[in-house]
Amino acid sequence: MQFKRRVVLCLAFLLFPALLSANDANSTSVEYKIKAGYLYNFTKFITWPEENVQTFNLCILGNDPFGDLINPIEKRSVQGRPIKLFRFNHSPKRDQRCHILYINAPGSNTAALKNDLALLDSADTLTVGEGGEFAKQGGMVGFVSREDKIKIQINLKAFKQSGLTVSAKLLEVAEIIGGTP
């Protein structure tokens, strides 16, 4: 009986980390499903200047935390244009038009982030990133985690410097950084 108890205990210790990591993977999956939903819904509350392009481009810069979770967004459209996903390990090509640029640079310093943002040719690109410092460092929308919920911060100063218009409805649910609504 003692031997069986030890075997069960050993198996429990071996399986426990696997269960924890599976649970972590599931919570990460849910987190990025929510963020992908936000990225799509931003298209309903932000207005881009009129332009003659065939697609609405959503670009991911850096490591792609979404994986396949964001791929179904390409079945949707914005203002009659299909959404197209682009993934870049480094800066987008100069001729690549990004309407939304999700920057995954966790722990990046202010100078590096500002350099990445300065490399963008288009002033009318919505820049979105992770963490409480993203919007403070010049990004337009930052995802922050508070009380086990995904919240957004909006850098109003960055919006005012761009060619984009943000809806008051989106501002109502966001924490405003760098300006007053």
Side-chain angles (χ1 to χ4, degrees):
M1 190 67 168
Q2 189 76 328
F3 176 74
K4 285 183 181 180
R5 193 180 261 173
R6 285 185 184 164
V7 169
V8 169
L9 193 57
C10 286
L11 285 173
F13 279 116
L14 289 173
L15 292 175
F16 187 71
L19 291 173
L20 281 179
S21 64
N23 200 13
D24 288 345
N26 189 33
S27 67
T28 300
S29 171
V30 169
E31 174 185 351
Y32 283 98
K33 279 183 184 177
I34 292 168
K35 290 177 181 178
Y38 265 118
L39 290 174
Y40 173 70
N41 284 314
F42 289 153
T43 66
K44 298 175 184 178
F45 298 100
I46 295 171
T47 306
W48 282 262
E50 290 287 325
E51 60 184 335
N52 189 19
V53 292
Q54 299 297 315
T55 60
F56 185 92
N57 299 330
L58 193 158
C59 305
I60 299 170
L61 175 62
N63 293 329
D64 179 1
F66 298 98
D68 292 339
L69 293 172
I70 200 166
N71 290 348
I73 204 168
E74 286 192 301
K75 294 178 182 169
R76 302 210 175 220
S77 62
V78 175
Q79 299 169 345
R81 295 178 285 169
I83 296 175
K84 183 91 170 127
L85 277 174
F86 294 93
R87 293 170 167 97
F88 303 100
N89 289 328
H90 305 291
S91 295
K93 299 173 188 172
R94 284 244 180 243
D95 62 344
Q96 178 62 54
R97 170 70 172 109
C98 295
H99 293 90
I100 298 176
L101 178 64
Y102 178 87
I103 300 172
N104 186 17
S108 69
N109 63 34
T110 303
L113 179 58
K114 285 186 178 180
N115 185 46
D116 285 344
L117 294 173
L119 289 175
L120 291 174
D121 264 350
S122 183
D124 53 354
T125 296
L126 175 67
T127 55
V128 183
E130 300 271 340
E133 295 300 311
F134 185 81
K136 292 175 185 172
Q137 295 174 356
M140 294 176 163
V141 179
F143 289 124
V144 292
S145 184
R146 292 211 182 101
E147 301 167 4
D148 294 329
K149 294 182 181 176
I150 305 299
K151 305 283 186 175
I152 58 172
Q153 292 180 330
I154 291 182
N155 182 328
L156 208 49
K157 182 179 176 185
F159 262 100
K160 288 179 180 177
Q161 293 172 346
S162 74
L164 306 178
T165 306
V166 60
S167 164
K169 290 180 181 181
L170 186 58
L171 293 175
E172 285 176 13
V173 298
E175 177 185 343
I176 305 301
I177 305 291
T180 54

